[in-house]
Structures are given as C-alpha cells and as structure tokens.
C-alpha cells in the first residue's frame, strides 16, 4: 500500500503502523480474515474492500457490530493481552486486501514511539465510545430502538441526502438488519412494515430511503451525538 493513498484522518498513525507491516493478504468475498476464539498474532489495516465485524451470542445468533472499509484497523483488541485471541469475526463482504502487522512488533513500536502511542490511544478511545453507544442503544431501547438506531447510524455512514429524504447507499436485507440489531428477521420485517405504512421509510428492493429521520431520533430519545460517533463503522 502506498502511503499517498492513505486519506484517513489517522494518516500519521497509519503511515507509522504500515512501517511494521510485514505482509499483505488477499481475502475473497465471503471468506473470514479471522474468527472469534482463534489465536491472534496480527492486527490488520484494510487496504481495499470491506469487512463486517460480528460476534456470536449465547444462542448462536450473529450480532453484526460494524462495517469496516479502506484504512480501518481491525483485530486491535488483541493488543497487550496474555495469549491473545480474536474476540470477533471479520467477514469479507467483497474481494479485499489487508496489511498484516505482527502484534509483538506493534507493541514494541508503541513503547518506543510516544507520538504513535498517543495517536493510537486517541483512536482507541473514539472506537470504545462508538462501541459503548451501540450497546447502549441495543440494551436500553429494545428491539425497536435497536432497529431505529441502526437505521440512523447507516444514514450517517452511507446516507445520500436529497429532497425526498436520505438514501442508504449500501444494500440491506431484513436479515442484515436483524444481525445488526440482535433480533429475529421476522421482528425486523414487522417493524419495517410499520415504518413503511407510516411513510417514515420506503424500500426499493434492498435500498432503504429514510423520509423522516427526526421521527426515528425522537423515538429513541436521540442525544444528537456527532456523526463521527453515531455511525455503523
């Protein structure tokens, strides 16, 4: 990966991390880069493509946590742990490539490079804040709140605003939304049907258009967090 391709706000961090990368990996669509429970020796920076990060709950149902794209870091929670194992699954949603960074080498770099350590800590803090707000919505607002929150987050990450509303530019099936909300597909289908009847949203095949975002926000007592925190990434 060429450094001039790094357009993330974390360009300093990414450029420094890439100095520690010792190999590139190609991952085909539908394949896992890693799965929860596997021993962890590396973290990864996405060079191209898209990954879904998920976890299986006690009932064996998949809970999707975030979508990751170019320049995102994944597998980062394995740092500074004894006999680290991956806590989540990373599924390639399209043909993708990643740069692999050895965990021990990265830990050494963080000890030796104070600026890198500072930037990485800031990034991790933002990452944890995003994760906490997602779980808050899932736990405090029930199935309907989880769905509404997920739609709001997708609109912030992949929303195309126009006169008729906000079009979510990534295709979403009812099962996809069920995975992101931790509920059954049938429940999601009923709730989406209610929103369509109220003309809050319309769905054209797998494309969702949100016509009344304020309604969704009001129903979950939205705190109007900045889009940098309230997103699906």
């Amino acid at each position: 990966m060429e450094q001039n391709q790094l357009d993330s706000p974390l360009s300093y961090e990414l450029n420094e991390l890439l100095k520690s990368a010792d190999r590139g990996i190609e991952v085909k669509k539908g394949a896992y880069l890693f799965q929860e429970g596997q021993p962890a020796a590396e973290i990864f920076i996405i060079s191209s493509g898209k990954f879904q990060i998920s976890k299986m709950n006690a009932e064996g149902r998949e809970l999707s946590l975030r979508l990751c794209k170019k320049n995102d870091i994944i597998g980062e929670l394995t740092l500074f742990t004894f006999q680290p194992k991956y806590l989540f699954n990373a599924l390639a949603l399209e043909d993708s490539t990643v740069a692999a960074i050895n965990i021990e080498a990265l830990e050494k770099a963080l000890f030796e490079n104070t600026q890198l350590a500072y930037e990485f800590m800031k990034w991790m803090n933002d990452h944890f804040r995003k994760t906490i707000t997602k779980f808050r919505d899932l736990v405090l607002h029930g199935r309907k709140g989880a769905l509404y929150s997920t739609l709001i987050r997708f609109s912030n990450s992949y929303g195309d605003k126009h006169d008729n509303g906000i079009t979510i530019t990534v295709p979403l099936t009812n099962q996809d939304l069920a995975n992101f909300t931790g509920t059954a597909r049938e429940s999601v289908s009923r709730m989406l049907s209610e929103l369509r009847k109220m003309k809050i949203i319309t769905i054209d095949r797998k494309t969702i258009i949100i016509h009344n975002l304020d309604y969704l926000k009001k129903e979950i007592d939205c705190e109007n967090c900045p889009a940098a925190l309230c997103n699906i990434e």
Side-chain angles (χ1 to χ4, degrees):
M1 185 191 308
E2 297 180 1
Q3 291 186 0
N4 59 12
Q5 292 176 331
L6 296 175
D7 49 13
S8 165
L10 298 176
S11 58
Y12 167 80
E13 175 188 335
L14 289 170
N15 277 280
E16 290 297 307
L17 289 180
L18 283 171
K19 294 177 182 177
S20 303
D22 54 7
R23 67 187 182 116
I25 303 173
E26 295 184 357
V27 188
K28 294 295 184 182
K29 178 180 178 179
Y32 285 96
L33 174 61
F34 56 80
Q35 291 181 272
E36 60 181 295
Q38 290 181 340
E42 299 168 311
I43 72 168
F44 307 93
I45 298 176
I46 300 173
S47 308
S48 65
K50 189 178 297 179
F51 286 85
Q52 176 178 286
I53 306 302
S54 65
K55 188 172 182 65
M56 302 299 291
N57 65 17
E59 291 75 34
R61 179 178 296 162
E62 184 179 31
L63 175 62
S64 299
L65 299 173
R66 59 183 174 129
L67 296 182
C68 298
K69 58 185 185 304
K70 178 182 176 182
N71 293 346
D72 284 342
I73 304 170
I74 53 180
E76 71 287 342
L77 295 181
T78 57
L79 287 172
F80 299 107
T81 59
F82 177 69
Q83 296 181 343
K85 295 182 179 180
Y86 293 114
L87 302 179
F88 306 108
N89 306 302
L91 175 68
L93 299 180
E94 55 193 46
D95 290 347
S96 306
T97 57
V98 299
I101 303 170
N102 180 270
I103 290 175
E104 292 183 358
L106 175 56
E107 291 174 347
K108 185 173 183 291
L110 291 174
F111 276 122
E112 295 176 349
N113 186 330
T114 56
Q115 185 179 354
L116 174 61
Y118 174 71
E119 296 292 336
F120 198 85
M121 287 174 61
K122 287 200 302 181
W123 178 83
M124 287 291 290
N125 180 63
D126 288 342
H127 177 59
F128 286 139
R129 289 175 66 191
K130 291 179 184 179
T131 302
I132 289 171
T133 59
K134 289 174 187 176
F135 281 117
R136 176 200 64 194
D137 293 341
L138 289 173
V139 172
L140 296 182
H141 298 295
R143 291 178 297 180
K144 183 176 290 188
L147 175 62
Y148 291 4
S149 171
T150 298
L151 291 174
I152 293 169
R153 291 176 186 279
F154 266 106
S155 75
N156 286 336
S157 295
Y158 297 97
D160 181 15
K161 295 183 180 180
H162 48 82
D163 292 341
N164 193 36
I166 303 173
T167 298
I168 297 175
T169 58
V170 294
L172 291 170
T173 66
N174 289 4
Q175 186 61 57
D176 291 332
L177 290 171
N179 291 345
F180 274 102
T181 58
T183 190
R185 181 178 59 82
E186 294 77 12
S187 296
V188 168
S189 298
R190 287 194 296 271
M191 290 185 286
L192 290 175
S193 179
E194 292 175 1
L195 290 175
R196 294 173 73 175
K197 289 178 181 177
M198 294 187 293
K199 302 186 185 303
I200 304 299
I201 66 170
T202 55
I203 303 176
D204 182 9
R205 297 178 184 178
K206 297 179 183 179
T207 300
I208 298 176
I209 303 173
I210 302 175
H211 302 292
N212 191 342
L213 187 65
D214 288 338
Y215 173 85
L216 300 179
K217 290 183 175 182
K218 181 179 178 181
E219 287 295 299
I220 63 169
D221 299 320
C222 178
E223 298 176 356
N224 288 313
C225 299
L229 289 179
C230 183
N231 58 50
I232 208 68
E233 300 167 342

